[in-house]
Amino acid sequence: MPILYTFRRCPYAMRARMALAVAGLRHQVREVSLKAKPAEMLAVSPKATVPVVVLPNGQVIEESRDIMRYALEHNDPEHWLDGWGPQTEALVDRNDGPFKVYLDQYKYPQRYEVPMETARELGLEILMDLEGRLAEAAFLARQSPSMVDICLFPFIRQFAAVDPDWFHKVPVNRLRAWLAHFTEGALFSQIMTKFPVWESSQVPVYGGDPVIISPMD
């Protein structure tokens, strides 16, 4: 079965695990330490970032969005791929590009010359745009979750967690409710299961068991 190299707190890995879980695609989970990445992962993916999926035929999928599409093209019970196109992909490009930069500058100000407040305000501009989009529908592309929501929410979650008091004061009520929908759902709880750091000698652990989706999910 497929092998997934992952890191529990990585937002890119979270989106991949969400898709694998909702698809019910059984896979072997290999939790890695970012400070001591396993040689087995580096041998198949020299770029050395997670997530990485190794298929039974040896094919390697190194990008989170590609992993999501692989899983959902096998089984998409929630129809997350419906409506995926240039507009939704542009939202993900902005998230993975400028917003990720602002998130890192805001979260780790000691690493950057940009003031923390500046990074936060730049990130807020994007959050306000998402807030406006949620005035038109409950989710970013329609009235139910789709791939674009799953791609974005792990990053919004991190941004909100830097200063929760600030996040609860800014005028993004719809976005807060949108975020809670995912972070308080059964599917997210499942994919955030803690696994020990993988070693080649350990008994394999598996993911992809079917999850019961609650009405909120």
Side-chain angles (χ1 to χ4, degrees):
M1 64 181 65
I3 296 169
L4 170 69
Y5 290 97
T6 183
F7 177 63
R8 182 174 177 270
R9 297 196 304 274
C10 171
Y12 296 101
M14 287 180 194
R15 63 164 63 150
R17 296 198 305 269
M18 289 281 281
L20 288 165
V22 82
L25 189 60
R26 189 87 165 145
H27 58 280
Q28 187 181 148
V29 179
R30 294 184 176 180
E31 178 76 13
V32 305
S33 167
L34 299 185
K35 295 180 180 179
K37 297 166 186 172
E40 292 85 350
M41 185 186 90
L42 298 177
V44 297
S45 180
K47 74 185 185 74
T49 60
V50 293
V52 173
V53 162
V54 184
L55 302 182
N57 65 3
Q59 179 184 351
V60 178
I61 309 177
E62 299 180 297
E63 299 295 335
S64 59
R65 277 185 262 183
D66 293 336
I67 294 171
M68 295 177 76
R69 291 185 64 88
Y70 167 78
L72 297 172
E73 286 169 359
H74 277 72
N75 185 34
D76 188 8
E78 300 296 314
H79 307 287
W80 283 358
L81 283 177
D82 288 1
W84 180 257
Q87 291 185 337
T88 51
E89 193 161 14
L91 289 179
V92 182
D93 288 341
R94 182 180 66 174
N95 177 84
D96 294 4
F99 186 76
K100 180 61 165 61
V101 172
Y102 304 147
L103 170 61
D104 289 344
Q105 293 170 341
Y106 178 37
K107 190 176 181 181
Y108 307 109
Q110 68 278 10
R111 300 180 186 176
Y112 301 93
E113 297 180 0
V114 177
M116 180 180 183
E117 293 77 10
T118 300
R120 183 169 69 184
E121 289 304 309
L122 290 170
L124 179 58
E125 291 180 9
I126 293 177
L127 298 187
M128 293 298 294
D129 175 70
L130 297 176
E131 175 74 6
R133 292 173 185 271
L134 292 171
E136 302 174 5
F139 296 90
L140 293 174
R142 60 187 190 187
Q143 294 296 342
S144 58
S146 66
M147 183 164 159
V148 64
D149 300 284
I150 306 305
C151 283
L152 266 60
F153 94 85
F155 297 83
I156 308 300
R157 172 181 175 268
Q158 284 196 351
F159 200 91
V162 177
D163 187 344
D165 290 339
W166 172 86
F167 184 72
H168 284 286
K169 292 176 182 176
V170 292
V172 290
N173 292 337
R174 297 184 189 92
L175 189 67
R176 281 191 289 268
W178 170 89
L179 180 61
H181 172 94
F182 296 108
T183 59
E184 296 173 9
L187 188 58
F188 184 67
S189 178
Q190 174 179 309
I191 67 102
M192 292 303 285
T193 299
K194 289 185 178 181
F195 293 108
V197 172
W198 178 78
E199 297 180 358
S200 58
S201 59
Q202 78 178 42
V203 175
V205 294
Y206 300 98
D209 292 328
V211 63
I212 297 175
I213 306 296
S214 71
M216 184 189 73
D217 297 322

